[in-house]
Amino acid sequence: MAECICDLCKNLKSEPDKEEGSLLLSCEYGFPSDDCDDCEGDGCEATCENFEAVETPELSTAKCCVCGKELTTSSDNEDETVYCLDCYLKRD
């Protein structure tokens, strides 16, 4: 079964449902199929003319400025100060 096209689209928005305590999914253009309202995320064959792929950031490797541990980061700014989680929590 194909992956659901809505899972990969940046037009899909989730909003909390305060009464149910869950998330409601909506699309500003409407769903491509009536079955999308009850989708369980298993995938489908639906296509959508308003589909816009979610942009995935390019990943790079950086080192923690304190301990030197290599980290994967989505930032491409080489001048940015990078901390690993342990060093960040211990900093003054």
Side-chain angles (χ1 to χ4, degrees):
M1 192 174 261
E3 187 170 1
C4 181
I5 193 167
C6 294
D7 287 344
L8 306 171
C9 184
K10 72 177 185 180
N11 294 321
L12 188 67
K13 308 290 184 222
S14 60
E15 300 172 7
D17 181 357
K18 295 176 182 171
E19 293 177 15
E20 297 283 325
S22 60
L23 289 177
L24 295 174
L25 297 176
S26 63
C27 177
E28 63 181 287
Y29 299 105
F31 290 115
S33 167
D34 292 337
D35 296 331
C36 293
D37 286 331
D38 300 323
C39 181
E40 297 293 325
D42 291 337
C44 64
E45 300 295 328
T47 59
C48 181
E49 62 187 44
N50 299 307
F51 175 78
E52 290 185 55
V54 174
E55 296 175 15
T56 54
E58 289 191 32
L59 300 178
S60 60
T61 302
K63 291 188 177 189
C64 174
C65 64
V66 176
C67 69
K69 179 179 180 180
E70 285 196 2
L71 306 165
T72 302
T73 179
S74 61
S75 174
D76 58 358
N77 186 354
E78 294 177 9
D79 297 331
E80 186 174 327
T81 304
V82 177
Y83 293 91
C84 70
L85 183 60
D86 292 333
C87 292
Y88 181 80
L89 294 174
K90 292 178 186 175
R91 68 186 179 120
D92 292 324

